[in-house]
Amino acid sequence: DLSNKEAAKKILKENYRLPNPNEKFCSNAIYQEIMLECWKQESKERPSFQEIYERFSENSSKEAFFEEEIEISVDNRTSELK
C-alpha cells in the first residue's frame, strides 16, 4: 500500500491512477468509463458534470446496465453487513 505522499508523487510523475476501489461497489464499467476519465491530468480532457450525467442516462440499455450494477453492489454490501 502506498502512503498519501507516495501516491501523490506517482500520480504527478508517472500518471499513476489508483486501482478500482472495490469491484463489489464500483463496477469496472463505471471505473473505466467515468472514474479514469475524471482523473485525467489535463482538466480540459475531463468530463463535465453534465457529460457524466448524460453518460448515465444516455440510453435505456446503458441506464439499465448501471442500475443492475448498482443493485448488485447494494445486494453485496447488504449481505456483507449481516
Side-chain angles (χ1 to χ4, degrees), residues 20 22-27 30 73-74 76-78 80:
N20 187 339
N22 186 329
E23 288 184 28
K24 291 180 183 177
F25 303 114
C26 178
S27 72
I30 291 172
S73 294
V74 170
N76 287 340
R77 185 171 184 195
T78 304
E80 284 181 1

Side-chain angles (χ1 to χ4, degrees), residues 15-54:
N15 202 28
Y16 172 76
R17 295 296 175 250
L18 296 171
N20 187 339
N22 186 329
E23 288 184 28
K24 291 180 183 177
F25 303 114
C26 178
S27 72
N28 281 325
I30 291 172
Y31 178 76
Q32 293 289 329
E33 295 179 24
I34 305 291
M35 292 176 70
L36 290 179
E37 290 291 312
C38 291
W39 292 338
K40 289 200 172 206
Q41 285 268 3
E42 291 292 323
S43 61
K44 294 174 188 168
E45 295 179 14
R46 298 178 202 143
S48 67
F49 286 110
Q50 180 66 35
E51 290 170 322
I52 294 169
Y53 172 80
E54 288 170 2

